[in-house]
Amino acid sequence: MQHVFVTGAAGFIGSSLVDRLLADGATVTGWDNLSTGQLRFLEGAQRHPRFRLVRGDNLDQPALTAAMKGADFVFHLAANADIRDGWKHPERDLQQNTIATFHVLEAMRANGVKRIAFSSTGSVYGEALVTPDKPTPENDVFPIQTSLYGASKTAGEGLLAAYAEGAQIDEAYIFRFVSILGERYTHGHVFDFYQQLVAHPDHLRVLGNGTQRKSYLYVQDCLDAMLHVTRAGTARTAKHHTQIYNLGTPEFVQVNDSIRFICGALGLQPRLEYTGGDRGWIGDNPFIFLDTKKIQATGWKPKLTIEQGIVRTLRWLEANRWVYEARH
Amino acid sequence: MQHVFVTGAAGFIGSSLVDRLLADGATVTGWDNLSTGQLRFLEGAQRHPRFRLVRGDNLDQPALTAAMKGADFVFHLAANADIRDGWKHPERDLQQNTIATFHVLEAMRANGVKRIAFSSTGSVYGEALVTPDKPTPENDVFPIQTSLYGASKTAGEGLLAAYAEGAQIDEAYIFRFVSILGERYTHGHVFDFYQQLVAHPDHLRVLGNGTQRKSYLYVQDCLDAMLHVTRAGTARTAKHHTQIYNLGTPEFVQVNDSIRFICGALGLQPRLEYTGGDRGWIGDNPFIFLDTKKIQATGWKPKLTIEQGIVRTLRWLEANRWVYEARH
């Protein structure tokens, strides 16, 4: 069984992946700088003999290279996900998403690790969407970036591809996520709305006008997809050693739908206060809706609808209010 | 008249641009770390009262910010152009093309400079070309990167776009160049072939099989195009404040055609020794041929054919053999 190196191992998706990999028999080295990750997410993993957590930062190339020794697959999930405040700290996306990815790839070269999966984002499509009501396929037009986050992830994708097409690594899997939710979810609109409704159940402040359309994917469906594709090894046999997959559900909702699901599950009828405008913040893409035919053609499909995913997220937040205090 | 800040001012294209801007009445601050630039290219400019050269590196943010003070337009031409040896120094493209571009943009923010032109490359299209015998338009499919150079320039483009679409700057012009040649050209196949033919006029070693198709643009045509578009201010009025233009000629040649032009101009008939294969080096794109309808629609067109550009380049190299010794 293989030895998997997971960056961002204490994060929402990373820790969920660690648990899945351990359950499937893999040896796992988790790597995290604990800047936003939660050690509590790894409590189960830490009791497992096949798990080891190394605390370190992707910008520390020697430590990263040393920690990766012996691995034969890398899941590179560590990232700066603070999309909204990009302009307060414009260097963060560059450092934590672009330069960090370069360090991961160089650590792989140094250790002879040949396979990697990378969590990218639907934000890489910027606003190049020619037909904005149609889901965006992987081979859409060359986009114009609209956010530092999208630009930094596009840059990370480019690095993976250059390493794979330049024969420095054998298999590069790039997954462009919609928003992911589910157990251990610690930021995003469900997180914020629930926090507000605990504080003041009678009203809810909504960024934008509520008609922003978004697509969400449940975290275990996301993990199913990544594990399915990387185990099938599609990049081994394809013309390109870089394989790019959109990851999402074939449906979307409006923020207003999501509010309805949340309030229904909580039994609340708050007064809604909209800040207005067709996007929540500068650089927010009013509509991320990905064409997932390519990944579905591999045999994967999501088990939960967006509504089911939102309700599970809410139930987890209700049972784990500690994450609101633990948050940085 | 405006004050223009030129990065890479002592380089081939940079120094040619400096001379053009001074002739047109602009005040020019040149910025160069002189790692590959040549002070001799700026001998004329240095005698000009409206020119100032500041020696510094794009990775030195404070010095760059200080040097840019008072500018109202930036031509960001400084780059690592050592495409072939990307894997010997994989950090160079990231540092000198991606991180450097971030520093330039941050220096602009600090100084309130709102307009920038950036020299990108046809290499950003990687091998996503669906119909490889057709010229590639700016809105071709989202490419898979094939080289560190292309990936680093794509990343630089993404940063410019994020700054422009995020309202941090007003106008971002991205020019995707084919290979540029002409006076002050100091690397590339004409440079290498002429060097070989001086050393041994009876034979010529050719990387690949000579059928690689390439497109070239004469440097003064390249400058005409950039000055024409930036002065027209197309990014001010367009939907996107990021305007991307392919820059090239509507023709292409094979490396073998180029050899014929060169040998004809020199009156030589060397024996040709091909290293073989359909590309010169790993990551070499066998065919960069850009659709230039968008820039031609603005009223610009090239004055020289590829053959005329190659012959002018050769004449300049004959008269300036010192560049072979000055090269790093």
Side-chain angles (χ1 to χ4, degrees), chain A residues 87 90-91 94 99 102 106 109 124-125 138-143 145 147-148 151 155 158 161-163 165 168 176, chain B residues 87 90-91 94 99 102 106 109 124-125 138-143 145 147-148 151 155 158 161-163 165 168 176:
Chain A
W87 292 111
E91 72 289 352
L94 177 73
I99 299 172
F102 174 76
E106 281 298 289
R109 283 223 298 174
V124 299
Y125 295 113
E138 290 86 352
N139 61 352
D140 202 62
V141 300
F142 204 153
Q145 298 302 318
S147 69
L148 288 171
Y163 275 69
E165 304 307 312
Q168 304 298 310
R176 293 179 180 154
Chain B
W87 293 111
E91 73 290 352
L94 178 72
I99 300 173
F102 174 76
E106 282 298 291
R109 283 223 297 174
V124 298
Y125 295 112
E138 290 86 353
N139 61 351
D140 203 62
V141 301
F142 203 153
Q145 297 302 319
S147 68
L148 289 172
Y163 275 69
E165 304 307 312
Q168 304 298 311
R176 293 178 180 153

Side-chain angles (χ1 to χ4, degrees), chain B residues 1-6 17 21-22 24-29 50 70-75 113-116 171 173 226-227 230-232 236:
Chain B
M1 193 60 198
Q2 64 180 357
H3 178 174
V4 183
F5 188 83
V6 179
L17 174 66
L21 290 167
L22 291 170
D24 292 346
T27 297
V28 179
T29 297
R50 276 185 276 102
D72 39 39
F73 198 102
V74 171
F75 272 92
V113 185
K114 296 292 189 182
R115 295 178 291 155
I116 182 172
E171 299 172 40
Y173 299 91
M226 292 198 291
L227 293 169
T230 54
R231 283 170 186 166
R236 257 198 312 277

Side-chain angles (χ1 to χ4, degrees), chain B:
Chain B
M1 193 60 198
Q2 64 180 357
H3 178 174
V4 183
F5 188 83
V6 179
T7 76
F12 160 38
I13 302 170
S15 66
S16 304
L17 174 66
V18 165
D19 289 344
R20 284 285 296 267
L21 290 167
L22 291 170
D24 292 346
T27 297
V28 179
T29 297
W31 169 261
D32 206 295
N33 65 4
L34 298 178
S35 66
T36 58
Q38 299 296 335
L39 279 176
R40 281 182 69 166
F41 291 165
L42 291 172
E43 275 176 357
Q46 294 270 33
R47 288 191 293 268
H48 205 292
R50 276 185 276 102
F51 180 71
R52 177 177 72 119
L53 176 67
V54 183
R55 183 172 178 165
D57 195 285
N58 279 328
L59 298 180
D60 183 350
Q61 180 80 68
L64 175 62
T65 302
M68 198 185 284
K69 194 174 175 205
D72 39 39
F73 198 102
V74 171
F75 272 92
H76 176 36
L77 307 180
N80 175 42
D82 184 8
I83 308 175
R84 299 188 201 185
D85 287 339
W87 293 111
K88 287 188 195 156
H89 313 284
E91 73 290 352
R92 274 196 199 161
D93 286 309
L94 178 72
Q95 288 171 351
Q96 295 179 30
N97 299 342
T98 305
I99 300 173
T101 299
F102 174 76
H103 285 304
V104 168
L105 289 161
E106 282 298 291
M108 289 175 67
R109 283 223 297 174
N111 284 296
V113 185
K114 296 292 189 182
R115 295 178 291 155
I116 182 172
F118 175 58
S119 55
S120 186
T121 165
S123 295
V124 298
Y125 295 112
E127 285 194 38
L129 312 166
V130 173
T131 48
D133 281 340
K134 245 186 52 183
T136 310
E138 290 86 353
N139 61 351
D140 203 62
V141 301
F142 203 153
I144 291 175
Q145 297 302 319
T146 52
S147 68
L148 289 172
Y149 178 69
S152 69
K153 283 288 193 178
T154 305
E157 289 192 4
L159 286 166
L160 256 78
Y163 275 69
E165 304 307 312
Q168 304 298 311
I169 58 175
D170 292 339
E171 299 172 40
Y173 299 91
I174 293 167
F175 296 98
R176 293 178 180 153
F177 291 0
V178 295
S179 298
I180 309 295
L181 35 63
E183 296 81 6
R184 300 181 185 163
Y185 160 97
T186 54
H187 77 274
H189 89 280
V190 181
F191 189 94
D192 297 338
F193 285 172
Y194 179 67
Q195 184 173 32
Q196 282 196 54
L197 291 169
V198 167
H200 45 72
D202 61 328
H203 67 279
L204 182 66
R205 185 168 172 274
V206 183
L207 293 177
N209 62 14
T211 66
Q212 304 103 293
R213 292 168 293 182
K214 302 276 183 180
S215 196
Y216 296 96
L217 182 68
Y218 176 57
V219 62
Q220 294 298 331
D221 282 327
C222 170
L223 298 178
D224 282 346
M226 292 198 291
L227 293 169
H228 174 71
V229 164
T230 54
R231 283 170 186 166
T234 55
R236 257 198 312 277
T237 48
K239 181 193 166 207
H240 285 291
H241 296 297
T242 308
Q243 285 296 308
I244 301 173
Y245 295 94
N246 285 338
L247 262 190
T249 44
E251 50 165 356
F252 61 86
V253 298
Q254 288 194 356
V255 170
N256 283 331
D257 296 319
S258 179
I259 292 170
R260 191 162 41 80
F261 304 150
I262 293 168
C263 295
L266 295 173
L268 294 173
Q269 289 184 299
R271 185 177 72 255
L272 303 178
E273 297 165 357
Y274 296 97
T275 63
D278 68 353
R279 53 189 73 191
W281 61 90
I282 292 175
D284 183 23
N285 193 314
F287 190 34
I288 292 183
F289 180 37
L290 305 181
D291 184 326
T292 54
K293 284 192 204 81
K294 184 177 175 188
I295 182 108
Q296 298 225 21
T298 68
W300 168 88
K301 63 179 179 188
K303 295 194 182 81
L304 262 56
T305 63
I306 293 178
E307 178 169 5
Q308 290 170 325
I310 288 175
V311 172
R312 284 225 196 170
T313 305
L314 203 59
R315 295 304 174 215
W316 184 81
L317 289 171
E318 287 183 296
N320 290 275
R321 289 215 201 165
W322 65 269
V323 294
Y324 287 95
E325 278 74 55
R327 223 184 154 209
H328 298 255

